[in-house]
Short mmCIF file of all heavy atoms in Angstrom, two decimals:
data_model
loop_
_atom_site.label_atom_id
_atom_site.label_comp_id
_atom_site.label_asym_id
_atom_site.label_seq_id
_atom_site.Cartn_x
_atom_site.Cartn_y
_atom_site.Cartn_z
N LEU P 21 -68.02 -58.54 52.17
CA LEU P 21 -67.11 -57.44 51.88
C LEU P 21 -67.58 -56.15 52.54
O LEU P 21 -66.79 -55.43 53.14
CB LEU P 21 -66.99 -57.27 50.36
CG LEU P 21 -65.98 -56.26 49.85
CD1 LEU P 21 -64.58 -56.59 50.34
CD2 LEU P 21 -66.00 -56.25 48.33
N LEU P 25 -65.65 -53.95 55.47
CA LEU P 25 -65.34 -52.52 55.37
C LEU P 25 -65.89 -51.73 56.55
O LEU P 25 -65.28 -50.75 56.98
CB LEU P 25 -65.87 -51.96 54.05
CG LEU P 25 -65.09 -52.38 52.82
CD1 LEU P 25 -65.78 -51.88 51.56
CD2 LEU P 25 -63.66 -51.89 52.88
N PRO P 31 -56.66 -47.45 54.00
CA PRO P 31 -56.57 -47.19 52.55
C PRO P 31 -56.24 -48.45 51.73
O PRO P 31 -56.85 -48.68 50.69
CB PRO P 31 -55.44 -46.16 52.44
CG PRO P 31 -55.42 -45.48 53.77
CD PRO P 31 -55.82 -46.54 54.77
N ASN P 32 -55.31 -49.26 52.20
CA ASN P 32 -54.95 -50.47 51.46
C ASN P 32 -56.12 -51.44 51.40
O ASN P 32 -56.40 -52.04 50.37
CB ASN P 32 -53.73 -51.14 52.11
CG ASN P 32 -53.23 -52.31 51.29
OD1 ASN P 32 -53.25 -52.28 50.07
ND2 ASN P 32 -52.78 -53.34 51.97
N LEU P 33 -56.80 -51.59 52.52
CA LEU P 33 -57.97 -52.47 52.57
C LEU P 33 -59.04 -52.01 51.60
O LEU P 33 -59.61 -52.81 50.87
CB LEU P 33 -58.54 -52.53 53.99
CG LEU P 33 -59.83 -53.32 54.14
CD1 LEU P 33 -59.56 -54.80 53.97
CD2 LEU P 33 -60.46 -53.05 55.48
N VAL P 34 -59.29 -50.72 51.58
CA VAL P 34 -60.33 -50.18 50.70
C VAL P 34 -59.97 -50.42 49.23
O VAL P 34 -60.82 -50.83 48.44
CB VAL P 34 -60.57 -48.68 50.98
CG1 VAL P 34 -61.49 -48.08 49.94
CG2 VAL P 34 -61.13 -48.50 52.37
N GLN P 35 -58.71 -50.23 48.89
CA GLN P 35 -58.29 -50.44 47.51
C GLN P 35 -58.48 -51.90 47.10
O GLN P 35 -59.01 -52.20 46.04
CB GLN P 35 -56.83 -50.03 47.33
CG GLN P 35 -56.35 -50.12 45.89
CD GLN P 35 -54.92 -49.65 45.75
OE1 GLN P 35 -54.18 -49.55 46.72
NE2 GLN P 35 -54.52 -49.35 44.52
N GLN P 36 -58.07 -52.82 47.96
CA GLN P 36 -58.25 -54.24 47.66
C GLN P 36 -59.73 -54.61 47.63
O GLN P 36 -60.17 -55.40 46.79
CB GLN P 36 -57.50 -55.10 48.67
CG GLN P 36 -55.99 -55.00 48.51
CD GLN P 36 -55.24 -55.75 49.58
OE1 GLN P 36 -55.65 -55.77 50.73
NE2 GLN P 36 -54.13 -56.36 49.21
N ALA P 37 -60.50 -54.03 48.54
CA ALA P 37 -61.93 -54.30 48.58
C ALA P 37 -62.61 -53.80 47.30
O ALA P 37 -63.49 -54.47 46.75
CB ALA P 37 -62.56 -53.65 49.81
N GLU P 38 -62.21 -52.64 46.84
CA GLU P 38 -62.77 -52.10 45.59
C GLU P 38 -62.47 -53.03 44.42
O GLU P 38 -63.31 -53.23 43.54
CB GLU P 38 -62.24 -50.70 45.32
CG GLU P 38 -62.85 -49.64 46.20
CD GLU P 38 -62.26 -48.26 45.96
OE1 GLU P 38 -61.24 -48.13 45.24
OE2 GLU P 38 -62.82 -47.30 46.51
N ASN P 39 -61.27 -53.59 44.42
CA ASN P 39 -60.90 -54.54 43.36
C ASN P 39 -61.82 -55.76 43.39
O ASN P 39 -62.34 -56.18 42.35
CB ASN P 39 -59.43 -54.96 43.52
CG ASN P 39 -59.01 -55.96 42.46
OD1 ASN P 39 -59.39 -55.86 41.30
ND2 ASN P 39 -58.22 -56.93 42.87
N PHE P 40 -62.03 -56.31 44.58
CA PHE P 40 -62.94 -57.45 44.68
C PHE P 40 -64.36 -57.06 44.27
O PHE P 40 -65.04 -57.80 43.56
CB PHE P 40 -62.94 -58.04 46.09
CG PHE P 40 -61.78 -58.95 46.36
CD1 PHE P 40 -60.80 -58.60 47.27
CD2 PHE P 40 -61.66 -60.18 45.71
CE1 PHE P 40 -59.72 -59.44 47.52
CE2 PHE P 40 -60.59 -61.02 45.95
CZ PHE P 40 -59.62 -60.65 46.86
N GLN P 41 -64.80 -55.89 44.72
CA GLN P 41 -66.16 -55.44 44.39
C GLN P 41 -66.33 -55.33 42.87
O GLN P 41 -67.34 -55.78 42.33
CB GLN P 41 -66.45 -54.10 45.07
CG GLN P 41 -67.84 -53.57 44.83
CD GLN P 41 -68.92 -54.36 45.53
OE1 GLN P 41 -68.67 -55.33 46.25
NE2 GLN P 41 -70.15 -53.96 45.35
N THR P 42 -65.35 -54.76 42.21
CA THR P 42 -65.41 -54.63 40.75
C THR P 42 -65.49 -56.00 40.09
O THR P 42 -66.29 -56.20 39.17
CB THR P 42 -64.16 -53.87 40.24
OG1 THR P 42 -64.16 -52.55 40.81
CG2 THR P 42 -64.16 -53.76 38.73
N ARG P 43 -64.70 -56.93 40.57
CA ARG P 43 -64.70 -58.27 39.99
C ARG P 43 -66.02 -58.99 40.25
O ARG P 43 -66.54 -59.69 39.39
CB ARG P 43 -63.51 -59.06 40.52
CG ARG P 43 -62.19 -58.47 39.99
CD ARG P 43 -60.97 -59.05 40.66
NE ARG P 43 -60.83 -60.47 40.37
CZ ARG P 43 -60.04 -61.27 41.08
NH1 ARG P 43 -59.33 -60.80 42.08
NH2 ARG P 43 -59.96 -62.55 40.77
N PHE P 44 -66.60 -58.79 41.45
CA PHE P 44 -67.91 -59.39 41.72
C PHE P 44 -68.99 -58.78 40.82
O PHE P 44 -69.88 -59.47 40.33
CB PHE P 44 -68.31 -59.23 43.19
CG PHE P 44 -67.62 -60.20 44.12
CD1 PHE P 44 -66.84 -59.74 45.17
CD2 PHE P 44 -67.75 -61.57 43.95
CE1 PHE P 44 -66.20 -60.63 46.02
CE2 PHE P 44 -67.12 -62.47 44.80
CZ PHE P 44 -66.34 -61.99 45.84
N LEU P 45 -68.89 -57.48 40.57
CA LEU P 45 -69.86 -56.84 39.69
C LEU P 45 -69.73 -57.34 38.25
O LEU P 45 -70.75 -57.49 37.55
CB LEU P 45 -69.70 -55.31 39.74
CG LEU P 45 -70.12 -54.67 41.06
CD1 LEU P 45 -69.75 -53.18 41.07
CD2 LEU P 45 -71.61 -54.85 41.32
N TYR P 102 -58.10 -63.87 51.03
CA TYR P 102 -57.86 -62.49 51.43
C TYR P 102 -58.46 -62.22 52.81
O TYR P 102 -57.84 -61.60 53.68
CB TYR P 102 -58.43 -61.55 50.38
CG TYR P 102 -58.42 -60.10 50.80
CD1 TYR P 102 -57.23 -59.40 50.89
CD2 TYR P 102 -59.61 -59.43 51.06
CE1 TYR P 102 -57.24 -58.05 51.24
CE2 TYR P 102 -59.62 -58.11 51.43
CZ TYR P 102 -58.43 -57.42 51.52
OH TYR P 102 -58.43 -56.10 51.88
#
Side-chain angles (χ1 to χ4, degrees):
L21 186 58
L25 288 174
N32 186 37
L33 175 70
V34 172
Q35 185 178 17
Q36 290 175 323
E38 285 177 351
N39 179 39
F40 279 112
Q41 182 70 1
T42 298
R43 292 170 65 196
F44 282 122
L45 290 173
Y102 171 71

